[in-house]
Amino acid sequence: MTSNNSSNKQSYFLVCSGILLLTFIIYVSSVFFDFEQQVFLSWGMVLLALFIKTFIPNNLALKRIVIIFLCLFLTLRYWFFRTFDTLFFNAPIDIIFIAALYIAESYGILTYLLGVFVNIHPCERKLIKADLDDPALPTVDVFIPTYNEPAEIILTAATASINMKYPKDKLNVYILDDGGTLEKRNSPDPAVAEKARRRHEDLKAMASFLNIGYITRERNLHAKAGNITNALASNTKGELTLILDCDHNPSRDLLINTVAYFMKDEKLFLVQTPHFFINPDPIEKNLGTFREIPAEGELFFGAIQKGLDFWNSSFFCGSAAVIRRKYLEEIGGIATDTITEDAETSLMLHAKGYNSVYVDRPMICGLAPETFSDFILQHTRWATGMLQILLLKNPLFQRGLKFYQRLGYLNSCIYWLFGYARVIFMLAPMAYLFFGANVYNATISQVMTYAIPHMVAAIILTDYLYGRVRHTFVSELYETVQSFFVMPVLTRALLKPRSPKFMVTPKGTTLSSDFASPLAFPFYLLFFASVAAYPVALWRWHNNPLQQHGIIGCLIWVTFNFIMLLLCLGIVWEKRQIRTKHRIPVDKEAVLSAPLRGIKHNVRVFDISESGLGLTTEERLDLSLGDDILIDVADSYGNKYKFRMKITRSVPTEKGHIIGCEFLSTNDNTASDIIGFLYGDSEIFNRFWERRRERSAGIWKGMGYLFIKGVTGTFNHFGGLSMQLYNLLTNKRRSYGSDQGLGQDKNERDGSVVHGPVHNSDTFNPDLVQSNRSGNTEGTAH
């Protein structure tokens, strides 16, 4: 870690020197440059930054420094102009609107500057592999905390954990059951007690069947954090602890690629790895972007965590992380003062002088929330927890943290305040057009000289720093669609920072039909208000000729917001989702054999799931639906698999044959093999991310792409609503409850949402493991 600390100090010196130089240049330009020179300065620097970004090779280290310097100069110059030249008021009411917008802008600039600081030099670590024959290898406990998830999800994670490559005498896997605690089994509600007792016995049976540990506790104190801390004190003795959410399935090489870092650095407390999701989140699903652009988490795991790692500030993300046990015990286990126990735990251990490492290789495969409501539940929990950390354990004043670590944690905490800023940005131009409120004091020439160059420079720098993992304006979209739900939750947390409670995010949700999310209402209001803003602007144009420049500016602003709202309406139109076995695109060679037809042919596997494979050939094969076939295939480690399968889809094409097949349950075709082939090979996850990142659209194409998705999403939304209204009025509405409404509780029926795969059982039966895993055809992807 010495060389890294040395680099930190050098970068810290460069950052401080750069800030001083920028401040001096801004002062000189503001005092000695006339307006015409200001115009040439601003747009000249924009063009220079764009030229360097486009034409200078990326392998030149100076390129990054120059682009950052140019773009930050324009941003700080704009903020100085905004602060000293625009904050004057013509009426008392103006104070509210002008101050609100100024604070929102200043917040945005602060998070932008902190983000640039964090990512000034992302840490690109070389993978260090552990020698499995080394007798000094530490012992490892794998903790799989669970609360109310279906047994099948837990079984998959436990099986994948057993499959990891590591000496078996040094590896112990435990299911941590918080759904079958003594408190729940003795609940005064008979239904709750019976469900807890059944779950307790089922998971104990599962653990016994898999020959792994089972741990529960008396009371459900402190949610997931308390569950893990209880396990540390429950006769588990591993030197390292791998923590996995129960829907996170580890690859075979996870421990090989993480344990060696602990052997090199005695003060290392954490190795965090990325979270890869096999299914689209509701934004990707409803807009249809899953295989086309990087996912939301890739910005954090593909850029921000690497930037934090350079500053020795990468933090625990709740799962897919290995932690040194003795340092956890030193602080009494997982922290419990906030509902983001992961980041809070890291903060405490960093403050004690311990180190962290981020390994940028996805080695777990998990489930993202399926519905927009579940997505908001998850993200508001993160937002609330990070605000709690800011209020209860402010990193700026946390003893033991280095200066750069304070800034790293501050950035992670205040980022979640974006809800307030986004709402202000959405409402400010409407306040001017509808009510004549003065929100911004500047002439059109000042806007073109200061504001627009700053915004263009920010887009250029953001695309340069994060373009491979985040397309243009996608961050604005994710923030906008969350803002109206994050803001009230954060307001409650500000008033009572110790009151929020941990809420489990539902996973494996299925949707029987398309429908409007219950959270769509704010976007309807804003959509129609935005539409109404155009005729109102036309009226103001004719009646207030002296305000025409301001009207034009606000119309441009409203139009940008309107495009975001189109996308939001596409997002809150929940699309049907009945698939319970999600597919991952791959490209693997295999051999197909059909002994009864005398066929043996080379094929390519183009996607895989827990239920089957998708195959392609360059020749048409004499195969029919229902035929039994054998598939011989290997993973990237050279492990060979033979699967007996049944053809469920056969489509001859001009270029060959597309074949869909499902796994059959035989003695030679175990659930462990299927899980090992699907989840055991981390190269599958890595290549999937790389393929999405290779499709970087650039700034202009990215904007056009989002506009098309927004128009399509809104058309689908209102078209779907119209069809539902038509069906209702003509008494031809499809019955949502005919197949699944009976016997469900109210929460399951609302919105036609079924929590948990419809065919899954919450109970565990070892005799049904293989048939549940490999014989099910519902939602077959192939």
Side-chain angles (χ1 to χ4, degrees):
M1 299 295 292
T2 305
S3 60
N4 195 44
N5 288 335
S6 175
S7 297
N8 287 349
K9 291 177 181 178
Q10 293 174 8
S11 296
Y12 174 56
F13 174 77
L14 287 173
V15 169
C16 292
S17 301
I19 291 173
L20 291 174
L21 182 58
L22 277 173
T23 304
F24 175 74
I25 294 175
I26 292 169
Y27 171 77
V28 170
S29 66
S30 63
V31 173
F32 298 104
F33 288 8
D34 59 28
F35 187 77
E36 185 177 342
Q37 290 171 326
Q38 295 282 4
V39 173
F40 281 108
L41 175 67
S42 58
W43 287 105
M45 296 188 84
V46 166
L47 293 175
L48 180 59
L50 189 60
F51 175 83
I52 293 172
K53 174 184 178 294
T54 306
F55 298 106
I56 302 299
N58 282 327
N59 56 4
L60 294 179
L62 187 61
K63 174 179 179 177
R64 190 180 190 89
I65 297 173
V66 172
I67 291 179
I68 289 175
F69 182 89
L70 292 173
C71 294
L72 290 191
F73 167 80
L74 291 169
T75 292
L76 289 173
R77 172 176 171 269
Y78 168 72
W79 186 80
F80 273 85
F81 159 76
R82 188 76 171 86
T83 302
F84 298 109
D85 293 343
T86 68
L87 298 182
F88 54 88
F89 315 103
N90 298 321
I93 193 66
D94 291 349
I95 297 175
I96 298 174
F97 295 102
I98 290 176
L101 183 58
Y102 172 73
I103 292 171
E105 284 189 85
S106 297
Y107 159 80
I109 289 172
L110 175 60
T111 56
Y112 171 60
L113 295 176
L114 287 173
V116 172
F117 172 80
V118 165
N119 289 278
I120 199 166
H121 193 285
C123 185
E124 301 288 349
R125 290 186 182 273
K126 291 184 178 180
L127 214 55
I128 303 177
K129 295 183 177 291
D131 180 1
L132 297 185
D133 296 323
D134 188 344
L137 278 176
T139 54
V140 179
D141 289 334
V142 181
F143 287 170
I144 306 174
T146 175
Y147 180 66
N148 58 2
E149 298 81 1
E152 187 180 14
I153 289 179
I154 303 165
L155 174 64
T156 304
T159 304
S161 299
I162 296 168
N163 286 343
M164 286 189 294
K165 289 185 177 179
Y166 206 73
K168 297 307 177 185
D169 60 331
K170 295 191 174 186
L171 178 65
N172 291 292
V173 179
Y174 298 92
I175 295 173
L176 313 185
D177 179 20
D178 239 16
T181 59
L182 187 61
E183 178 183 23
K184 283 186 168 292
R185 282 178 276 151
N186 292 332
S187 170
D189 185 334
V192 172
E194 176 58 27
K195 184 176 181 180
R197 284 193 292 270
R198 188 169 64 248
R199 180 181 180 84
H200 172 68
E201 294 302 324
D202 289 341
L203 293 189
K204 278 181 66 178
M206 180 190 296
S208 176
F209 174 76
L210 297 174
N211 196 26
I212 62 176
Y214 170 85
I215 298 173
T216 189
R217 52 183 175 150
E218 291 188 1
R219 299 179 59 197
N220 296 79
L221 297 175
H222 303 302
K224 178 181 174 182
N227 193 5
I228 295 171
T229 300
N230 174 74
L232 290 171
S234 300
N235 203 30
T236 58
K237 299 178 180 178
E239 298 166 76
L240 304 177
T241 301
L242 168 61
I243 297 176
L244 297 170
D245 284 348
C246 70
D247 63 298
H248 283 191
N249 307 308
S251 63
R252 295 181 186 274
D253 59 353
L254 193 154
L255 292 177
I256 295 175
N257 293 332
T258 54
V259 166
Y261 294 96
F262 291 94
M263 301 174 71
K264 288 174 65 72
D265 180 10
E266 183 58 33
K267 293 191 69 176
L268 183 66
F269 80 87
L270 169 74
V271 175
Q272 178 66 55
T273 68
H275 295 178
F276 173 87
F277 298 109
I278 191 172
N279 63 313
D281 68 32
I283 294 177
E284 295 171 304
K285 179 191 65 158
N286 296 335
L287 290 181
T289 64
F290 180 54
R291 299 193 182 189
E292 299 174 0
I293 64 174
E296 179 201 24
E298 288 184 60
L299 172 63
F300 179 73
F301 287 112
I304 294 173
Q305 274 282 44
K306 292 200 290 186
L308 290 169
D309 193 24
F310 176 77
W311 298 111
N312 192 24
S313 303
S314 59
F315 57 82
F316 176 33
C317 299
S319 181
V322 184
I323 305 178
R324 198 186 296 270
R325 180 194 189 95
K326 68 178 183 180
Y327 295 146
L328 265 184
E329 292 176 333
E330 191 175 312
I331 60 171
I334 301 294
T336 59
D337 288 337
T338 72
I339 59 173
T340 45
E341 73 292 332
D342 39 19
E344 182 189 354
T345 300
S346 297
L347 176 70
M348 296 171 67
L349 289 171
H350 276 134
K352 283 185 169 289
Y354 300 128
N355 303 320
S356 62
V357 159
Y358 174 68
V359 175
D360 183 29
R361 181 179 179 86
M363 291 178 286
I364 64 95
C365 183
L367 292 171
E370 297 278 8
T371 70
F372 183 65
S373 298
D374 294 343
F375 175 87
I376 291 298
L377 173 66
Q378 180 188 65
H379 284 63
T380 52
R381 186 182 77 233
W382 293 346
T384 302
M386 296 308 290
L387 180 60
Q388 285 181 297
I389 291 176
L390 183 66
L391 297 174
L392 303 177
K393 299 192 173 183
N394 194 313
L396 286 178
F397 308 107
Q398 189 71 227
R399 290 185 179 179
L401 290 180
K402 302 292 191 298
F403 173 72
Y404 43 81
Q405 291 176 316
R406 296 174 192 270
L407 293 182
Y409 276 103
L410 178 66
N411 178 59
S412 299
C413 290
I414 69 170
Y415 162 76
W416 291 98
L417 299 173
F418 66 76
Y420 295 99
R422 289 290 168 197
V423 169
I424 292 171
F425 293 151
M426 185 67 68
L427 299 180
M430 294 187 189
Y432 174 79
L433 292 175
F434 284 107
F435 308 111
N438 190 13
V439 296
Y440 192 96
N441 290 313
T443 65
I444 191 68
S445 57
Q446 287 175 319
V447 169
M448 294 300 298
T449 303
Y450 293 95
I452 301 301
H454 146 66
M455 289 190 285
V456 173
I459 293 171
I460 291 171
L461 182 55
T462 301
D463 186 66
Y464 174 70
L465 293 178
Y466 314 118
R468 289 193 73 240
V469 295
R470 177 55 52 87
H471 286 196
T472 306
F473 296 123
V474 171
S475 287
E476 284 76 6
L477 170 61
Y478 271 90
E479 291 176 8
T480 299
V481 80
Q482 296 176 67
S483 58
F484 291 92
F485 313 105
V486 168
M487 189 175 69
V489 172
L490 291 184
T491 302
R492 290 195 295 270
L494 280 168
L495 298 174
K496 295 182 178 180
R498 295 187 182 275
S499 63
K501 303 298 181 183
F502 188 94
M503 298 289 288
V504 176
T505 305
K507 300 291 179 68
T509 303
T510 59
L511 308 176
S512 65
S513 62
D514 295 0
F515 65 95
S517 168
L519 303 180
F521 183 70
F523 303 111
Y524 294 149
L525 286 180
L526 289 168
F527 173 81
F528 290 114
S530 297
V531 171
Y534 290 95
V536 170
L538 185 62
W539 176 82
R540 282 196 174 275
W541 178 278
H542 287 293
N543 288 276
N544 299 278
L546 296 179
Q547 297 180 10
Q548 289 180 354
H549 287 162
I551 293 169
I552 291 173
C554 281
L555 272 179
I556 294 172
W557 193 349
V558 165
T559 300
F560 175 82
N561 290 341
F562 186 67
I563 294 172
M564 289 293 113
L565 288 170
L566 294 179
L567 288 159
C568 290
L569 286 171
I571 290 167
V572 295
W573 181 250
E574 296 280 18
K575 291 189 175 178
R576 181 172 180 258
Q577 161 52 31
I578 62 170
R579 188 181 305 283
T580 60
K581 308 295 184 185
H582 297 279
R583 294 180 286 178
I584 304 178
V586 296
D587 185 16
K588 289 181 175 291
E589 295 180 352
V591 176
L592 181 154
S593 302
L596 295 180
R597 292 183 179 269
I599 294 175
K600 187 171 185 178
H601 201 278
N602 291 331
V603 297
R604 300 204 72 85
V605 182
F606 67 84
D607 68 27
I608 60 177
S609 77
E610 287 185 51
S611 60
L613 306 176
L615 312 172
T616 59
T617 72
E618 294 182 354
E619 299 178 16
R620 296 189 181 185
L621 303 181
D622 182 21
L623 295 170
S624 302
L625 295 182
D627 282 358
D628 284 3
I629 58 173
L630 295 175
I631 299 295
D632 291 276
V633 65
D635 61 25
S636 64
Y637 309 113
N639 299 310
K640 295 181 179 179
Y641 300 87
K642 181 184 288 289
F643 296 118
R644 186 182 170 206
M645 313 196 76
K646 180 176 73 174
I647 294 178
T648 57
R649 183 184 178 214
S650 179
V651 182
T653 66
E654 294 181 359
K655 297 182 179 180
H657 213 133
I658 296 175
I659 301 169
C661 48
E662 68 177 22
F663 295 112
L664 293 177
S665 178
T666 71
N667 292 333
D668 297 324
N669 196 40
T670 65
S672 179
D673 288 337
I674 297 171
I675 292 170
F677 181 60
L678 175 58
Y679 300 118
D681 189 353
S682 64
E683 190 60 24
I684 292 175
F685 317 147
N686 194 57
R687 287 177 182 171
F688 182 76
W689 270 7
E690 286 301 318
R691 280 194 295 269
R692 285 201 299 199
R693 294 174 184 181
E694 288 170 357
R695 298 178 180 177
S696 178
I699 295 172
W700 294 108
K701 287 184 179 179
M703 293 169 63
Y705 174 84
L706 287 181
F707 176 73
I708 292 171
K709 288 292 183 182
V711 172
T712 305
T714 301
F715 178 81
N716 290 337
H717 190 126
F718 286 117
L721 284 179
S722 300
M723 183 59 66
Q724 289 182 355
L725 180 61
Y726 172 78
N727 290 335
L728 181 65
L729 294 176
T730 58
N731 295 319
K732 295 180 180 179
R733 185 180 183 184
R734 184 181 302 137
S735 173
Y736 294 117
S738 60
D739 295 328
Q740 61 183 32
L742 297 178
Q744 293 177 353
D745 62 28
K746 179 180 183 299
N747 290 330
E748 289 176 320
R749 293 194 303 270
D750 285 348
S752 298
V753 179
V754 184
H755 290 288
V758 293
H759 67 279
N760 283 350
S761 171
D762 285 336
T763 63
F764 171 75
N765 185 343
D767 296 331
L768 298 179
V769 169
Q770 283 185 286
S771 60
N772 284 345
R773 276 286 156 202
S774 47
N776 191 285
T777 61
E778 181 177 4
T780 298
H782 310 286

